[in-house]
Amino acid sequence: MSEAPFVRHAERADLPVVAELAARHAEYEQAAPPPADLATRLAALLFDTPAPRLRCLVAELPDGRLAGYATCSPELSTWEGREYLHMDCLFLLPGHRGLGLGVLLMDAVAAEARTLGLEAVQWQTPTWNDGAIRFYDRLGARAVQKVRYSLPVAP
């Protein structure tokens, strides 16, 4: 056991906790809860495919509990004619924010981008999430204003 929190890649055994963190994240962002079988769906994306696109990083406390997570995957920018790493989620449990875990997660996401040979990480956060905006600004990230849409399609 480490004496300091650290970030590592999620393991299959972490997925029930990651699913719970995702549910807390959705609740925080006032979104619909994830599906009940999220841990199984994540396992398929992370471990049950020969070339997984999704990466999941977890912030582990010295006592072994998980306090947060980040997920990311490569995406394409037509305008730039290159891939970038899209960070879909970054979440820390209340009480664990402001302790440096967010920086550890962001550093790990940036390391994933470098490992993949990508030169940028992109993400979004709700416009009302002032704490996240201040955090990302302190990291030197630049905000790009857009409106996100979602169009459900039948399979």
Side-chain angles (χ1 to χ4, degrees):
M1 212 179 330
S2 172
E3 302 223 0
F6 62 98
V7 171
R8 61 174 173 77
H9 286 96
E11 299 169 356
R12 189 180 293 269
D14 297 322
L15 295 183
V17 176
V18 170
E20 176 58 32
L21 289 167
R24 298 278 303 270
H25 188 184
E27 180 182 354
Y28 177 77
E29 291 201 3
Q30 303 165 6
D37 66 342
L38 180 59
T40 301
R41 291 179 184 207
L42 291 174
L45 294 169
L46 290 164
F47 302 112
D48 299 337
T49 183
R53 288 183 51 227
L54 182 66
R55 277 104 172 119
C56 181
L57 302 156
V58 293
E60 185 172 324
L61 300 173
D63 64 7
R65 291 179 298 132
L66 301 183
Y69 76 107
T71 56
C72 52
S73 59
E75 295 297 338
L76 293 169
S77 170
T78 302
W79 289 354
E80 295 179 6
R82 65 179 179 167
E83 287 184 293
Y84 65 91
L85 192 64
H86 174 253
M87 182 174 68
D88 185 50
C89 294
L90 186 148
F91 178 75
L92 289 168
L93 289 170
H96 295 90
R97 298 176 188 145
L99 304 174
L101 292 172
V103 172
L104 291 176
L105 280 167
M106 286 300 298
D107 286 349
V109 169
E112 287 294 312
R114 283 190 295 277
T115 296
L116 293 168
L118 307 177
E119 298 175 10
V121 178
Q122 296 183 20
W123 65 93
Q124 56 200 9
T125 195
T127 57
W128 54 260
N129 194 344
D130 295 329
I133 291 167
R134 283 190 306 273
F135 170 69
Y136 296 136
D137 286 346
R138 281 193 310 268
L139 292 177
R142 293 179 300 123
V144 176
Q145 297 297 319
K146 289 194 176 190
V147 177
R148 180 179 181 182
Y149 287 88
S150 176
L151 177 64
V153 294

